[in-house]
Amino acid sequence: MNKILVTGGVGFIGYHLIKRLINKYEITIIDNLQRGKMDNDFKNLLSNKNVTWKRFPSDIFFLKKIAVGSELITTEYAVLSADDDFLIPTALQECLDFLIKNTDYSSVQGLCFTHNIYKKSGHTDLRLIPFHKGKALSLEQNSPCDRISSYMKDGKYYPMYSIHKKSSFTSIWKEADKYVDGQGLSELLPCCLSLLKGKMKVLPNFYNLREPNNFDGWGDEEALSKVYSEERVGRASSGLANHLSKATNLSSKESKKFSQEVFKAYLDIVYKKQEWKLRSNSGFHGILMTLRQRL
């Protein structure tokens, strides 16, 4: 039976979430954890035979942590897991079986949900909320360019947290590390490289449950301009173009043109969403001010 390695980093969520993964998978923890701040129970779990813990200085970007940490993988398949995610074992196995049987696919995942808990008198309600409004789109086009273009222009689901072959997983993150040093693009380029290698399948199973959080992008245009600066986008675009020209029949010039076009399409969507968000917030603020004046 094939084993699955889950690589993940413990961030602001806390140790209690990573604990629930340790006894269910072979796992590598890659982060800047400090033993002095851990409880004894977590320290004991780290000595479990199915756990590898790789420590990094706090100033190393998470993409590099994954790139270096991927070298520790000893299993044939791997899946990236954030510390606030819980991957469902039966769904993982189903996805793994599909990936083994379908060699034209580079990644497989299932349906992802977050949740809210509502406490009422006498009972507690759990409400599951599907990611991307429930639009789980596989990317199964035969052309790598078509898959990448579809993702960049309408990325309802993406292969960031899919199961990959270890060789593909390691290659994706090591190559992305050469071209990306900041947030945003650190997900975008690895996903493009995954889709360059093969198709992405989304199976109709309960694959991932994510803890609710308040993260909602980078907040304002100034933050976006730093995350997606011309220099950073240029490097990421060049990285994708270099791999495209090697993996397809496109010339270097054609690859560069395609890469620039899909990055521009993605950023147009990002900034349109930001503009809509600002207008919505402004309108809501106006309504509140009117109500206050009337009251």
Side-chain angles (χ1 to χ4, degrees):
M1 179 178 178
N2 290 285
K3 296 180 181 179
I4 301 173
L5 173 68
V6 180
T7 64
V10 179
F12 66 93
I13 298 297
Y15 301 136
H16 69 285
L17 297 179
I18 207 72
K19 287 179 183 178
R20 64 190 181 181
L21 294 173
I22 287 178
N23 290 321
K24 298 184 181 298
Y25 307 104
E26 182 172 342
I27 179 169
T28 295
I29 302 173
I30 48 174
D31 214 329
N32 56 323
L33 297 170
Q34 299 177 21
R35 278 192 177 271
K37 296 183 179 180
M38 300 175 193
D39 58 43
N40 290 330
D41 183 31
F42 193 78
K43 289 179 183 178
N44 291 333
L45 285 172
L46 287 177
S47 64
N48 193 307
K49 65 180 181 180
N50 65 318
V51 176
T52 301
W53 177 34
K54 176 67 175 176
R55 297 185 67 181
F56 289 89
S58 59
D59 59 346
I60 291 183
F61 185 50
F62 92 93
L63 192 153
K64 182 173 287 293
K65 294 177 187 178
I66 299 173
V68 175
S70 68
E71 296 287 354
L72 302 173
I73 297 173
T74 58
T75 51
E76 190 175 355
Y77 296 88
V79 57
L80 182 68
S81 177
D83 57 347
D84 55 345
D85 287 1
F86 184 75
L87 297 166
I88 310 302
T90 51
L92 276 171
Q93 187 61 55
E94 185 179 353
C95 291
L96 176 59
D97 291 342
F98 182 95
L99 187 57
I100 292 171
K101 294 175 183 177
N102 296 273
T103 56
D104 53 336
Y105 287 78
S106 65
S107 67
V108 186
Q109 63 183 304
L111 303 177
C112 302
F113 298 84
T114 186
H115 68 280
N116 285 324
I117 296 176
Y118 302 90
K119 292 187 177 180
K120 299 180 180 180
S121 57
H123 67 281
T124 300
D125 289 343
L126 173 67
R127 180 176 299 174
L128 295 178
I129 305 164
F131 272 33
H132 306 294
K133 299 179 180 179
K135 296 181 180 179
L137 301 178
S138 298
L139 295 172
E140 302 176 283
Q141 300 94 325
N142 289 324
S143 165
C145 290
D146 288 344
R147 294 193 295 268
I148 292 170
S149 181
S150 180
Y151 160 61
M152 295 287 264
K153 295 177 181 179
D154 190 24
K156 299 301 182 186
Y157 258 54
Y158 45 90
M160 179 87 171
Y161 300 106
S162 297
I163 297 178
H164 289 80
K165 288 198 72 170
K166 184 256 184 179
S167 55
S168 294
F169 185 93
T170 303
S171 172
I172 288 165
W173 290 101
K174 289 182 70 174
E175 289 303 307
D177 181 45
K178 297 176 182 179
Y179 302 100
V180 176
D181 64 355
Q183 298 288 353
L185 296 167
S186 60
E187 294 192 7
L188 207 61
L189 184 57
C191 287
C192 288
L193 295 178
S194 173
L195 295 169
L196 179 59
K197 290 179 177 294
K199 302 174 184 178
M200 182 194 79
K201 184 70 174 179
V202 181
L203 296 178
N205 59 29
F206 192 154
Y207 177 77
N208 188 1
L209 181 63
R210 175 166 293 183
E211 295 291 330
N213 62 61
N214 297 321
F215 180 76
D216 186 24
W218 286 275
D220 56 38
E221 190 169 346
E222 182 180 357
L224 285 175
S225 67
K226 292 179 181 178
V227 171
Y228 299 113
S229 68
E230 184 176 348
E231 179 187 358
R232 283 176 163 162
V233 172
R235 278 193 282 120
S237 177
S238 295
L240 177 59
N242 290 341
H243 285 82
L244 270 172
S245 62
K246 295 175 184 177
T248 67
N249 293 325
L250 295 178
S251 66
S252 295
K253 184 177 180 179
E254 290 169 332
S255 296
K256 183 177 180 179
K257 183 174 183 292
F258 171 83
S259 185
Q260 289 173 339
E261 287 175 350
V262 292
F263 271 89
K264 182 181 183 303
Y266 178 84
L267 291 176
D268 284 346
I269 294 170
V270 168
Y271 281 100
K272 283 179 182 177
K273 286 181 178 178
Q274 176 66 14
E275 184 180 335
W276 177 86
K277 181 181 175 182
L278 290 173
R279 286 202 305 265
S280 298
N281 289 344
S282 177
F284 183 65
H285 179 72
I287 293 171
L288 285 178
M289 291 298 293
T290 301
L291 286 173
R292 286 175 182 172
Q293 290 172 359
R294 291 180 179 179
L295 292 172

